[in-house]
Amino acid sequence: MTVNVTVTGAAGQIGYALLFRIASGQLLGPDTPVRLRLLEIPAAVKAAEGTAMELDDSAFPLLEGIDVTDDAKRAFDGTNVALLVGARPRTKGMERGDLLEANGGIFKPQGEAINSGAASDVRVLVVGNPANTNALIAKSHAPDVPAERFTAMTRLDHNRAIAQLSKRLGAAVADVKKMTIWGNHSATQYPDIFHAEVGGQNAAQAVNDADWLRDTFIPTVAKRGAAIIEARGASSAASAASAAIDHVHTWVHGTPEGDWTSMAVVSDGSYGVPEGLVSSFPVVCKDGKWEIVQGLEINQFSRERIDASVRELEEERDAVRKLGLV
Ligand SMILES: NC(=O)c1ccc[n+]([C@@H]2O[C@H](COP(=O)([O-])OP(=O)(O)OC[C@H]3O[C@@H](n4cnc5c(N)ncnc54)[C@H](O)[C@@H]3O)[C@@H](O)[C@H]2O)c1
Ligand SMILES: O=C(O)C[C@H](O)C(=O)O
């Protein structure tokens, strides 16, 4: 059956890297036809139409149709997979509160449109920053959609952590399993290698270097977004699109046996993360559903870092609460 996939911010740089991969079947698999709904602000609709022309020109066998619109209701009507990429970037002089308010103006109506029109099996991935709190806002305005359908992206951080660890150990990325990103998709995130495995060996033991872990690995992963902006003059786009593909593909098709992934999901209170916050956890996916991996032992080093990132999420939640957005 054809799956309706909505992409917001479709004319942006992530959109440009993402849409062709969705249309080629990499999001949902080689047997699933897709219909794309591209949502943009009025000023960028023409550019999105240009991308739609290019999608046509690619003659993707799985692509059954493309709609371009600036109307959220139309974009989310009957949608099965909603990729919320478009967001208001922080501009000069903007405080964190201003940023949260501006994004509330985007994610509140989009949550409402998902609530009223999306398909009953809708799955939502928020990529647009601040991703966790934008997901919280959208979820808060979709009371009829099960909360577990709202997720935010930390898969890029997860992939970055795997890449850094594999380089350090001279191992193949495919040999790194059970990486975890905890908390917020921000510089406070905590990439945790204490449960990770490399070629079957515990990763923290294989590294055996507390200084590298604390002073190099964690800051490199957590500040990678800023390093990409510094190097490229623009934020990560192709790697972010790739991670979005990975996130949804894993959610729908499952995590491989003996591995897990990282997703920011609505907390059920696991690991002391307050219920209702959208925070990153180790999760396994099976039969189209995710579940937080339970029973991991959290050492003091990890506990402090998880708590710091969760505190930031609480502050963001309190700020959007004050604005009446959740
Ligand atoms: N979670 C992550 O790991 C991660 C990684 C990289 C980037 N990001 C974030 O993803 C977002 C998009 O990045 P980008 O590089 O594609 O930005 P971009 O500026 O190139 O594109 C964003 C697009 O969103 C559109 N847009 C703005 N408001 C909209 C609305 N209300 N409805 C629909 N479209 C709207 C804009 O017109 C623009 O075309 C940013 O917030 C960025 O910070 C997140
Ligand atoms: O857009 C950004 O600020 C950075 C982005 O979230 C990233 O992690 O690359």
Side-chain angles (χ1 to χ4, degrees), residues 252-264:
V252 172
H253 294 283
T255 36
E257 200 56 43
D259 201 2
W260 64 59
T261 188
S262 302
M263 282 167 74

Side-chain angles (χ1 to χ4, degrees), residues 166-178:
S166 75
K167 267 196 215 304
R168 161 79 189 196
L169 293 174
V173 288
D175 289 338
V176 180
K177 312 273 186 221
K178 299 184 178 175

Side-chain angles (χ1 to χ4, degrees), residues 84 92 101-102 117 158 194 197 213 226 228 233 243 252 286 321:
L84 310 190
K92 218 171 160 202
E101 187 166 14
H158 179 97
F194 287 101
E197 293 168 6
L213 175 61
I228 299 284
V252 172
K286 203 177 165 206
R321 208 178 250 167

Side-chain angles (χ1 to χ4, degrees), residues 186-207:
S186 75
T188 68
Q189 67 177 266
Y190 172 49
D192 176 358
I193 66 166
F194 287 101
H195 306 283
E197 293 168 6
V198 180
Q201 197 194 347
N202 178 273
Q205 283 168 14
V207 167

Side-chain angles (χ1 to χ4, degrees), residues 8-15 39-41 44 85-89 105-106 110 126-131 153-154 156-157 160 185 235-237 240:
T8 76
Q13 48 154 7
I14 294 177
L39 179 67
E40 259 296 349
I41 55 171
V85 179
R88 174 74 162 81
I106 295 174
Q110 291 186 358
V126 178
V127 175
N129 280 322
M153 189 163 94
T154 50
L156 178 54
D157 312 295
R160 287 166 170 166
H185 171 68
S235 63
S236 60

Side-chain angles (χ1 to χ4, degrees), residues 25-185:
Q26 291 177 58
L27 186 80
L28 297 164
D31 303 319
T32 307
V34 292
R35 193 173 302 114
L36 284 169
R37 305 273 175 72
L38 313 188
L39 179 67
E40 259 296 349
I41 55 171
V45 161
K46 191 159 179 234
E49 282 169 351
T51 306
M53 288 162 68
E54 283 201 72
L55 285 160
D56 279 341
D57 295 349
S58 304
F60 289 114
L62 291 171
L63 184 57
E64 291 205 341
I66 314 168
D67 292 319
V68 182
T69 181
D70 60 6
D71 175 3
K73 268 201 170 336
R74 221 180 111 192
F76 292 114
D77 186 38
T79 197
N80 306 102
V81 177
L83 304 175
L84 310 190
V85 179
R88 174 74 162 81
R90 191 198 292 255
T91 41
K92 218 171 160 202
M94 217 176 176
E95 298 298 332
R96 197 172 184 84
D98 301 332
L99 182 73
L100 291 168
E101 187 166 14
N103 278 294
I106 295 174
F107 288 87
K108 175 175 184 263
Q110 291 186 358
E112 289 165 349
I114 288 168
N115 196 55
S116 60
S120 60
D121 68 347
V122 68
R123 289 183 176 83
V124 182
L125 167 62
V126 178
V127 175
N129 280 322
N132 301 52
T133 297
N134 287 340
L136 179 69
I137 295 169
K139 185 212 86 162
S140 303
H141 294 279
D144 303 330
V145 177
E148 71 267 17
R149 306 290 185 72
F150 284 86
T151 65
M153 189 163 94
T154 50
R155 184 63 173 263
L156 178 54
D157 312 295
H158 179 97
N159 289 346
R160 287 166 170 166
I162 289 175
Q164 292 301 322
L165 182 64
S166 75
K167 267 196 215 304
R168 161 79 189 196
L169 293 174
V173 288
D175 289 338
V176 180
K177 312 273 186 221
K178 299 184 178 175
M179 181 60 73
T180 304
I181 303 294
W182 299 93
N184 202 1
H185 171 68

Side-chain angles (χ1 to χ4, degrees), residues 235-253:
S235 63
S236 60
S239 58
S242 196
I245 296 277
D246 289 346
H247 177 114
V248 173
H249 191 276
T250 301
W251 191 355
V252 172
H253 294 283

